[in-house]
Amino acid sequence: MNTRTSLPKRSLSRLLSWPSVGLWLAYLVAFSISHEIARIWGGAYFFSLWYPAAGIRFAFLWRYGARWTFLIAAAELLAQSLLWTVIEHQVVSPRMAVDIILPSLTSGGVIAAIRYESRRNPSELAIAPLPLGLAAILTPTFTALVRGGWEWVSSHYDASATFLPTSIFLLGDMLGILIVAPFLLWLSEGKGRWGELRLSWPDLRQAALVFALGWSLALLLPDLRLMPIMLSMTWLGLRYGSKGAWIAIILSSGVTLFWSAKVPDIPTQIGLHIGLAVAAVSAYLAGSYTDAQQAAREIIARRDRLLFQAERLKTLRAMSVAVIHEISQPLSTLAIESRHLAAISRNDTEIAGSAALIARKVETLSTTIRRLRRFGGRAVDEPSPLSLGLLLSEVVKLAIGETGQKLDRAQLIVPATDVFVVGQEIELTQAFLNLVRNAMSASPTRPITILLSSNAQGASIMIANPHANVVSDSGGFGVGSLIARAIIMAHGGTLIRKDGRDGLIRHEVCLPIIETPHE
Amino acid sequence: MSKNLSALVHVVDDDEDLGEAVVRLLIRHGYQAESFVAPEMMLDACARQECQCVVTDIMMGEMDGFALADALRARNPAVAIIFMTAWPTTANAVDAVRRYGGLDYLEKPIDEARLLAAIAEGVAWSRRRGAALIRMDRLTARERQVLNLLAAGMSNKRVAASLELSTKTVEDHRAAVMAKTGTSSIADLIALVRDAQ
């Protein structure tokens, strides 16, 4: 409860922190530059069919959340007021102020609604990347509608107001979002993204050659307009995926838009912008197709590796069964003979003691063999009451034994009173083993913590590991947590990952509990 | 233990050491016992001297434990068969008891107490069945029909109706059955049929 009530305060304090102020200033600068650049190729009463500032706004709101909406609106108002005052030597009127803040307010509203709906609605529309796609379409659409409505209303009160075509406004924002936002969002996903943009020298040479060839043909044969450029951009998209397409689009946009700024007549200017839009869409499609192909190839390769491992496991299982068979034969003989030896050696206590000891050990081994054999049988598939404390203790032993590490690598904290759940022992062991194994791999040098607790709602198992910057490849397939989640959900529980600001990654498992069974 | 003195148990397992160990165990418990590493060898021995109980592994060479059970049943329906295996499966366990008439299905490593209990039960069952079959051996086909229906709880009249005979004829058959099998009441007849099954 405390966490819930303190959330707004925490959000507010986060917005007022120094990093947030820096972020806001960075947005202010980026918006001002992109807004001013768009004026270069803009028309008399409109900015352009390509308005990159809309893309920067969208990417910022999508990345950092709609709670930034009012701060974004303030930044845009401040930027445009300053620019209007410095460049045009005029003061921004109240009507202009509304013109300026309406797009950011509308964008924030649309993004907030889509984010809320995607959290609430479990349908396919809520699965990435559909929410982003929806937002990329709906944000400029609603912005244009609100802006058009506002102009229609204001034209009734101010006869001198200029009525701009809503479609141009819509296209400008939409293309601005399409060209800038995906690239910025992709870059913001991690530091390694810049590295992925690097091309090998032969690839770079090839890309530059094709790009230069396209532009040379477009300049030498003006009748072809932007057709050669579109072909070269499409090829770059096909060859290097969406990152190649983005670079080609940005470079081509820079050349085309600055070129269009020098064209005197509006129809030719708009024609160039439309041509660029077609080329960009084509490059996007080609890049996305290549990405999809690449992803499909990776999935197939992963599936093949999994199938190979499954076959290997089947072979190992058969070998284990064969070993069990081989062991059970001499064990039967040993059991019979050692008992007999113990029985006939009563006069010699030393021999009798040794024989009895052998008989006991053989009996223990026989029980182990029967237990091992039962693991593959139906009996263990039946849900049964399980002590979570014992189960987690076994899991920790298995994980430590598997990695050959010290016992203090994993700290298990269990309550004084044990917690019981109903479940399938092997499956639940597998689920927790996967989570503990992942945690140990993610923090190779520092200890991890497994904390078991319970309340009226159920049992809670938290597996926490410190975040490591560099994680070595564990050799897994990346399906361990997926399997764990599926098993836990099948037991009526949940698995949630939380990346804490304290540098800890927490996996929290909740399971329904039962009363302590009477043995 | 004196009851077991005349009981002969055959142990069939391709693991000679295990077979010998079981045989020694059985001899210590008062049985006559002999081990074989192949089913064919045991069948040859059975032709010379009938045994009351066979303890057999399931997975062996050319002839497995189930084929051996079929061959044994054809020769001696009164022999008790106990299966043991290192590869237990539910399907095999069901087949062993229901299809091949096994008395028990033991999983290796063998539980000694359970093995001894199963053999004791098997020997007793074999003797009962053997004796019952001998007593019923002299009955004609019609007398067997009458015996089975009487053991099923039918009255003379119902047996007569069922076999389309007169009540008098059924009474004659009943008297003949009792005389040949040495029984004196319907309860004895029911017990005889139960032992023979």
Side-chain angles (χ1 to χ4, degrees), chain A residues 96-112:
Chain A
M96 281 176 68
V98 176
D99 282 349
I100 291 166
I101 63 169
L102 265 184
S104 47
L105 294 180
T106 313
S107 300
V110 172
I111 286 172

PDB file of all heavy atoms in Angstrom, chain A residues 96-112:
ATOM      1  N   MET A  96      -1.407  31.825 -31.152  1.00  0.00           N
ATOM      2  CA  MET A  96      -0.228  31.089 -31.629  1.00  0.00           C
ATOM      3  C   MET A  96       0.274  30.119 -30.549  1.00  0.00           C
ATOM      4  O   MET A  96       0.735  29.003 -30.856  1.00  0.00           O
ATOM      5  CB  MET A  96       0.900  32.053 -31.989  1.00  0.00           C
ATOM      6  CG  MET A  96       0.713  32.719 -33.343  1.00  0.00           C
ATOM      7  SD  MET A  96       2.012  33.910 -33.654  1.00  0.00           S
ATOM      8  CE  MET A  96       3.423  32.877 -33.814  1.00  0.00           C
ATOM      9  N   ALA A  97       0.180  30.574 -29.298  1.00  0.00           N
ATOM     10  CA  ALA A  97       0.621  29.702 -28.193  1.00  0.00           C
ATOM     11  C   ALA A  97      -0.210  28.418 -28.174  1.00  0.00           C
ATOM     12  O   ALA A  97       0.322  27.311 -27.986  1.00  0.00           O
ATOM     13  CB  ALA A  97       0.495  30.434 -26.865  1.00  0.00           C
ATOM     14  N   VAL A  98      -1.531  28.586 -28.404  1.00  0.00           N
ATOM     15  CA  VAL A  98      -2.384  27.386 -28.457  1.00  0.00           C
ATOM     16  C   VAL A  98      -1.992  26.527 -29.650  1.00  0.00           C
ATOM     17  O   VAL A  98      -1.905  25.289 -29.552  1.00  0.00           O
ATOM     18  CB  VAL A  98      -3.875  27.794 -28.525  1.00  0.00           C
ATOM     19  CG1 VAL A  98      -4.762  26.566 -28.685  1.00  0.00           C
ATOM     20  CG2 VAL A  98      -4.269  28.560 -27.277  1.00  0.00           C
ATOM     21  N   ASP A  99      -1.728  27.181 -30.815  1.00  0.00           N
ATOM     22  CA  ASP A  99      -1.277  26.428 -31.998  1.00  0.00           C
ATOM     23  C   ASP A  99      -0.047  25.588 -31.678  1.00  0.00           C
ATOM     24  O   ASP A  99       0.097  24.453 -32.144  1.00  0.00           O
ATOM     25  CB  ASP A  99      -0.897  27.411 -33.132  1.00  0.00           C
ATOM     26  CG  ASP A  99      -2.126  27.963 -33.842  1.00  0.00           C
ATOM     27  OD1 ASP A  99      -3.218  27.424 -33.580  1.00  0.00           O
ATOM     28  OD2 ASP A  99      -1.989  28.908 -34.623  1.00  0.00           O
ATOM     29  N   ILE A 100       0.850  26.202 -30.894  1.00  0.00           N
ATOM     30  CA  ILE A 100       2.132  25.532 -30.605  1.00  0.00           C
ATOM     31  C   ILE A 100       1.950  24.354 -29.656  1.00  0.00           C
ATOM     32  O   ILE A 100       2.517  23.265 -29.877  1.00  0.00           O
ATOM     33  CB  ILE A 100       3.129  26.564 -30.010  1.00  0.00           C
ATOM     34  CG1 ILE A 100       3.545  27.566 -31.094  1.00  0.00           C
ATOM     35  CG2 ILE A 100       4.361  25.863 -29.438  1.00  0.00           C
ATOM     36  CD1 ILE A 100       4.240  28.803 -30.557  1.00  0.00           C
ATOM     37  N   ILE A 101       1.163  24.531 -28.608  1.00  0.00           N
ATOM     38  CA  ILE A 101       1.094  23.457 -27.588  1.00  0.00           C
ATOM     39  C   ILE A 101       0.091  22.347 -27.931  1.00  0.00           C
ATOM     40  O   ILE A 101       0.164  21.246 -27.384  1.00  0.00           O
ATOM     41  CB  ILE A 101       0.779  24.013 -26.176  1.00  0.00           C
ATOM     42  CG1 ILE A 101      -0.598  24.677 -26.156  1.00  0.00           C
ATOM     43  CG2 ILE A 101       1.859  24.948 -25.714  1.00  0.00           C
ATOM     44  CD1 ILE A 101      -1.063  25.002 -24.750  1.00  0.00           C
ATOM     45  N   LEU A 102      -0.844  22.635 -28.863  1.00  0.00           N
ATOM     46  CA  LEU A 102      -1.862  21.614 -29.177  1.00  0.00           C
ATOM     47  C   LEU A 102      -1.260  20.281 -29.642  1.00  0.00           C
ATOM     48  O   LEU A 102      -1.663  19.211 -29.151  1.00  0.00           O
ATOM     49  CB  LEU A 102      -2.816  22.145 -30.247  1.00  0.00           C
ATOM     50  CG  LEU A 102      -4.107  22.781 -29.749  1.00  0.00           C
ATOM     51  CD1 LEU A 102      -4.992  23.168 -30.930  1.00  0.00           C
ATOM     52  CD2 LEU A 102      -4.873  21.836 -28.846  1.00  0.00           C
ATOM     53  N   PRO A 103      -0.266  20.282 -30.596  1.00  0.00           N
ATOM     54  CA  PRO A 103       0.270  18.980 -31.053  1.00  0.00           C
ATOM     55  C   PRO A 103       0.897  18.159 -29.929  1.00  0.00           C
ATOM     56  O   PRO A 103       0.692  16.939 -29.851  1.00  0.00           O
ATOM     57  CB  PRO A 103       1.331  19.387 -32.082  1.00  0.00           C
ATOM     58  CG  PRO A 103       0.915  20.736 -32.556  1.00  0.00           C
ATOM     59  CD  PRO A 103       0.297  21.410 -31.369  1.00  0.00           C
ATOM     60  N   SER A 104       1.664  18.826 -29.040  1.00  0.00           N
ATOM     61  CA  SER A 104       2.316  18.049 -27.982  1.00  0.00           C
ATOM     62  C   SER A 104       1.281  17.505 -26.988  1.00  0.00           C
ATOM     63  O   SER A 104       1.388  16.358 -26.528  1.00  0.00           O
ATOM     64  CB  SER A 104       3.377  18.884 -27.265  1.00  0.00           C
ATOM     65  OG  SER A 104       2.862  20.138 -26.937  1.00  0.00           O
ATOM     66  N   LEU A 105       0.252  18.336 -26.682  1.00  0.00           N
ATOM     67  CA  LEU A 105      -0.787  17.853 -25.754  1.00  0.00           C
ATOM     68  C   LEU A 105      -1.550  16.674 -26.358  1.00  0.00           C
ATOM     69  O   LEU A 105      -1.823  15.669 -25.685  1.00  0.00           O
ATOM     70  CB  LEU A 105      -1.745  18.990 -25.402  1.00  0.00           C
ATOM     71  CG  LEU A 105      -1.164  20.159 -24.596  1.00  0.00           C
ATOM     72  CD1 LEU A 105      -2.237  21.207 -24.325  1.00  0.00           C
ATOM     73  CD2 LEU A 105      -0.553  19.689 -23.283  1.00  0.00           C
ATOM     74  N   THR A 106      -1.877  16.803 -27.649  1.00  0.00           N
ATOM     75  CA  THR A 106      -2.625  15.720 -28.309  1.00  0.00           C
ATOM     76  C   THR A 106      -1.765  14.454 -28.383  1.00  0.00           C
ATOM     77  O   THR A 106      -2.238  13.340 -28.101  1.00  0.00           O
ATOM     78  CB  THR A 106      -3.044  16.137 -29.730  1.00  0.00           C
ATOM     79  OG1 THR A 106      -3.602  17.439 -29.666  1.00  0.00           O
ATOM     80  CG2 THR A 106      -4.051  15.182 -30.314  1.00  0.00           C
ATOM     81  N   SER A 107      -0.472  14.647 -28.756  1.00  0.00           N
ATOM     82  CA  SER A 107       0.417  13.471 -28.853  1.00  0.00           C
ATOM     83  C   SER A 107       0.515  12.767 -27.502  1.00  0.00           C
ATOM     84  O   SER A 107       0.423  11.521 -27.420  1.00  0.00           O
ATOM     85  CB  SER A 107       1.820  13.894 -29.291  1.00  0.00           C
ATOM     86  OG  SER A 107       1.763  14.520 -30.538  1.00  0.00           O
ATOM     87  N   GLY A 108       0.706  13.545 -26.439  1.00  0.00           N
ATOM     88  CA  GLY A 108       0.806  12.970 -25.102  1.00  0.00           C
ATOM     89  C   GLY A 108      -0.460  12.222 -24.728  1.00  0.00           C
ATOM     90  O   GLY A 108      -0.403  11.117 -24.167  1.00  0.00           O
ATOM     91  N   GLY A 109      -1.623  12.808 -25.068  1.00  0.00           N
ATOM     92  CA  GLY A 109      -2.907  12.173 -24.753  1.00  0.00           C
ATOM     93  C   GLY A 109      -3.062  10.848 -25.480  1.00  0.00           C
ATOM     94  O   GLY A 109      -3.461   9.835 -24.875  1.00  0.00           O
ATOM     95  N   VAL A 110      -2.733  10.845 -26.770  1.00  0.00           N
ATOM     96  CA  VAL A 110      -2.889   9.612 -27.558  1.00  0.00           C
ATOM     97  C   VAL A 110      -1.950   8.526 -27.043  1.00  0.00           C
ATOM     98  O   VAL A 110      -2.348   7.359 -26.855  1.00  0.00           O
ATOM     99  CB  VAL A 110      -2.613   9.901 -29.057  1.00  0.00           C
ATOM    100  CG1 VAL A 110      -2.573   8.595 -29.846  1.00  0.00           C
ATOM    101  CG2 VAL A 110      -3.682  10.808 -29.624  1.00  0.00           C
ATOM    102  N   ILE A 111      -0.700   8.914 -26.784  1.00  0.00           N
ATOM    103  CA  ILE A 111       0.280   7.916 -26.313  1.00  0.00           C
ATOM    104  C   ILE A 111      -0.124   7.372 -24.932  1.00  0.00           C
ATOM    105  O   ILE A 111      -0.041   6.162 -24.678  1.00  0.00           O
ATOM    106  CB  ILE A 111       1.698   8.531 -26.282  1.00  0.00           C
ATOM    107  CG1 ILE A 111       2.202   8.650 -27.712  1.00  0.00           C
ATOM    108  CG2 ILE A 111       2.660   7.681 -25.461  1.00  0.00           C
ATOM    109  CD1 ILE A 111       3.488   9.397 -27.880  1.00  0.00           C
ATOM    110  N   ALA A 112      -0.611   8.259 -24.073  1.00  0.00           N
ATOM    111  CA  ALA A 112      -1.059   7.813 -22.746  1.00  0.00           C
ATOM    112  C   ALA A 112      -2.214   6.823 -22.888  1.00  0.00           C
ATOM    113  O   ALA A 112      -2.244   5.778 -22.219  1.00  0.00           O
ATOM    114  CB  ALA A 112      -1.494   9.006 -21.906  1.00  0.00           C
TER     115      ALA A 112
END
